[in-house]
Amino acid sequence: MKQGLSLRVSQHLALTPQLQQSIRLLQLSTLELGQEIQQMLDENPFLEVQADEVAEEFGAAQSDARPADEGDYETAAAPLESSVPNGASDPEPADFGDDAAPNWDGDGTTETVPDDGEWGGDAPAAKRNSLGDDDEVDATDLARGNESLPSWLHRQALALRLSELDRAALRYLIESLNDDGYLEDSLEALASGLSPADLEQQEELAHRFTVALRLLQSLDPPGVGARNLAECLTLQLRAMRDATPDDEVCPVAIKVCRQPIDLLAKRDVKRLAQLCGDSELRVKSAISLITRLEPKPGRRFIDVERNIIVPDVIVTQTGRGARVGFRVQLNPDVMPRLRVHDVYAGALKAHRGEGHQALQQRLQEARWFIKNIQQRFDTILRVSGAIVERQRNFFIHGELAMRPLVLREIADELGLHESTISRVTTAKYMSTPFGTFELKYFFGSALGTETGGNASSTAVRALIKQFVASEDDRKPLSDSQISEMLKEQGIECARRTVAKYREALRIAPANLRKAL
């Protein structure tokens, strides 16, 4: 085999670090972008937050969408213009100066309430659920303050005059509750876990736990400490009966909860009436009362991460009647106010010494970061303007007027790749006259119509929701009936598709929607 040298010219796409950062920033949500900016501020000394007025380039970023004289839709050019050429697969960072100052405010605070874990034995006796002088405090108020369920129960237990052993048993049961407020383990299992070898001590512990369980179930919220759903509902009904002794429905509801729970789930009124020895009318009223109870008493205390949705784009209506238009602008509250530190940059330029090359690289990274953020918001604005242009009827009439739209249509219009549109529309939100929606909400598949046109799946879901809202409660619409009603509207939608859309809307089947 003979060796030789040859020259060959070829082209290939290389993702530079700058382009990789631009793509990564484009797919970040508002909260993630704030964290990314904070990290960059901590690492790069040349990057700083500008406390002065917002730069004009970002503060005035908007796109005006107005109808033409014939009623057509046209979009005015936004002050932020992207430098992405037609046919580019991914966005290239746009040029803008070091003094540009986008506006971003990522402040957030979390208030925590101290946990009173120690109980005093000398606490005065009080009524059930009493916390002292403030009679207005309840579980809902403390749950809003991020108070945990164990902490809330411990605070109530401070008002109980208990012995050391009973106080310890009650504390142990409180700490054994799950997030829903249920006691999953039996009292015998808890006792054997504490004393696996001594049977006599297990019996003593089981007795203590039995007394503590009655105390626990008397605390707020009603139903806490239940072992199963039937007991949880029964505890709540007993609390209602004690509050309103003259109520005739509560005793019947308690009888219903003593029956097999599957009969209640199926709403078998006739069978329940026979087992309870009462009339069907009173059983119906009892079931109606049970449906208003809380099956998970600890739900309100669950420390779920609450992500507040801040819209990236704001759409406002301009004009009226035939001259109605829409203005698309970036939300100034989510735009970061960043700039290159002038003093450090000037000092680096004037003095060259050891480490100059590394510092020069950090300065360039700061400039790239600002440019990529500018490109991110510019692309979001362009995509949002194109969405408003395509879905103009939605912004006038609502979701029933939504038209089919796929990512490829917006990508072809803006000269971007579908993957870029997908990144832009993920975790980015638009504030509209009808509410705040994720940008992906405006994209939907098409369903055929009798006239040969297409109907958006979003509009079909809205139509199904409208049919269910106006149905007769005594005879709810089945999926087949809804499918037939859609065909009368000229929309071809199979029963299985209706069932899929109904489940996506979290609408119960017809047999469960039937009113009693």
Side-chain angles (χ1 to χ4, degrees):
M1 182 176 179
K2 184 178 180 181
Q3 296 182 346
L5 296 176
S6 64
L7 296 177
R8 184 176 59 180
V9 179
S10 63
Q11 293 181 344
H12 66 278
L13 179 64
L15 290 179
T16 63
Q18 183 180 3
L19 184 56
Q20 293 177 12
Q21 184 185 66
S22 176
I23 295 174
R24 184 167 53 84
L25 292 178
L26 189 62
Q27 64 187 4
L28 295 180
S29 64
T30 301
L31 294 177
E32 294 171 340
L33 178 64
Q35 297 173 358
E36 185 75 16
I37 291 176
Q38 187 60 47
Q39 181 179 355
M40 184 62 69
L41 287 171
D42 295 338
E43 296 177 354
N44 198 318
F46 292 98
L47 198 63
E48 68 172 351
V49 178
Q50 179 175 335
D52 301 331
E53 65 279 359
V54 183
E56 295 182 358
E57 292 95 324
F58 271 28
Q62 64 183 27
S63 175
D64 290 333
R66 313 178 191 278
D69 296 338
E70 297 80 12
D72 295 334
Y73 189 94
E74 63 179 10
T75 304
L80 287 178
E81 296 183 359
S82 172
S83 63
V84 180
N86 292 336
S89 60
D90 281 299
E92 289 286 342
D95 293 334
F96 76 105
D98 298 339
D99 296 332
N103 183 13
W104 172 77
D105 185 7
D107 188 19
T109 58
T110 302
E111 180 180 357
T112 58
V113 181
D115 186 359
D116 295 336
E118 296 298 329
W119 301 352
D122 297 332
K127 294 182 180 180
R128 176 181 178 271
N129 303 341
S130 175
L131 287 180
D133 297 334
D134 189 2
D135 294 336
E136 300 298 328
V137 178
D138 60 5
T140 304
D141 295 334
L142 290 185
R144 290 172 180 171
N146 295 332
E147 177 106 8
S148 65
L149 178 61
S151 176
W152 168 238
L153 295 174
H154 286 318
R155 289 164 66 91
Q156 294 179 74
L158 290 171
L160 301 177
R161 190 181 299 274
L162 303 174
S163 64
E164 290 294 334
L165 291 177
D166 290 337
R167 185 165 64 250
L170 180 55
R171 183 189 297 115
Y172 188 80
L173 291 185
I174 291 176
E175 296 298 333
S176 300
L177 298 175
N178 61 14
D179 292 338
D180 295 331
Y182 283 82
L183 189 64
E184 296 178 333
D185 299 326
S186 64
L187 301 181
E188 292 76 12
L190 294 175
S192 62
L194 292 177
S195 180
D198 194 339
L199 296 179
E200 184 176 352
Q201 189 175 6
Q202 289 184 18
E203 294 179 359
E204 176 64 20
L205 289 174
H207 173 71
R208 295 288 182 181
F209 285 152
T210 303
V211 176
L213 181 61
R214 288 199 296 266
L215 294 173
L216 174 60
Q217 293 178 349
S218 67
L219 300 179
D220 186 71
V224 68
R227 274 75 60 86
N228 50 61
L229 177 59
E231 185 179 13
C232 177
L233 300 176
T234 302
L235 291 172
Q236 297 181 55
L237 291 171
R238 288 176 180 172
M240 296 176 62
R241 182 189 60 186
D242 296 341
T244 56
D246 298 334
D247 191 355
E248 299 179 355
V249 181
C250 280
V252 180
I254 293 175
K255 293 181 182 179
V256 171
C257 291
R258 293 173 182 169
Q259 310 307 322
I261 198 67
D262 59 332
L263 297 178
L264 179 60
K266 296 177 181 178
R267 300 185 179 183
D268 193 343
V269 178
K270 293 183 179 180
R271 181 62 177 164
L272 288 173
Q274 294 175 358
L275 295 175
C276 296
D278 216 315
S279 64
E280 293 186 8
L281 181 61
R282 289 166 62 90
V283 171
K284 288 181 180 179
S285 301
I287 295 178
S288 178
L289 175 62
I290 293 173
T291 57
R292 296 196 296 269
L293 300 178
E294 173 57 71
K296 298 180 179 180
R299 189 205 308 263
R300 72 188 74 167
F301 294 92
I302 297 178
D303 188 16
V304 180
E305 182 182 1
R306 297 174 177 89
N307 291 330
I308 300 176
I309 295 178
V310 180
D312 299 85
V313 181
I314 300 175
V315 179
T316 55
Q317 182 174 333
T318 60
R320 295 182 179 179
R323 301 294 303 173
V324 64
F326 299 94
R327 173 170 296 174
V328 182
Q329 60 184 1
L330 294 172
N331 185 3
D333 293 335
V334 301
M335 297 161 60
R337 306 171 62 181
L338 300 175
R339 69 176 183 182
V340 172
H341 202 295
D342 297 334
V343 177
Y344 292 169
L348 180 64
K349 184 177 181 180
H351 302 280
R352 295 178 178 271
E354 184 179 357
H356 176 80
Q357 186 66 27
L359 293 176
Q360 185 67 32
Q361 183 177 359
R362 301 296 287 181
L363 176 60
Q364 186 63 31
E365 289 178 0
R367 290 172 176 168
W368 282 355
F369 189 73
I370 294 177
K371 291 179 181 180
N372 289 335
I373 290 181
Q374 162 74 7
Q375 172 66 20
R376 176 186 186 272
F377 285 104
D378 181 27
T379 307
I380 292 175
L381 182 65
R382 294 178 62 205
V383 173
S384 301
I387 290 175
V388 173
E389 180 180 353
R390 294 298 185 101
Q391 300 291 3
R392 181 173 186 270
N393 290 333
F394 165 81
F395 293 92
I396 298 177
H397 304 292
E399 58 184 355
L400 287 175
M402 189 82 77
R403 56 164 290 183
L405 183 64
V406 294
L407 298 177
R408 184 177 61 257
E409 297 182 40
I410 302 297
D412 294 341
E413 179 179 344
L414 300 180
L416 302 174
H417 195 272
E418 289 185 43
S419 62
T420 302
I421 306 300
S422 178
R423 295 187 185 100
V424 172
T425 55
T426 301
K428 314 298 188 305
Y429 295 89
M430 176 187 294
S431 176
T432 72
F434 294 96
T436 301
F437 304 93
E438 189 179 11
L439 294 184
K440 279 191 178 299
Y441 171 79
F442 299 96
F443 295 86
S445 57
L447 296 177
T449 61
E450 293 181 352
T451 59
N454 292 323
S456 172
S457 58
T458 305
V460 173
R461 284 194 292 267
L463 201 56
I464 293 175
K465 189 192 307 180
Q466 191 178 80
F467 289 158
V468 173
S470 59
E471 68 183 1
D472 186 357
D473 293 339
R474 294 170 296 181
K475 295 181 179 180
L477 298 172
S478 64
D479 295 339
S480 299
Q481 290 174 322
I482 295 177
S483 177
E484 292 297 328
M485 295 175 68
L486 290 174
K487 288 182 180 179
E488 294 177 1
Q489 300 287 333
I491 301 174
E492 298 291 338
C493 188
R495 183 196 61 81
R496 295 180 62 180
T497 306
V498 171
K500 181 182 69 173
Y501 289 165
R502 176 181 54 75
E503 293 174 357
L505 294 171
R506 296 188 177 182
I507 298 176
N511 61 329
L512 297 180
R513 298 200 310 270
K514 185 176 182 180
L516 300 177

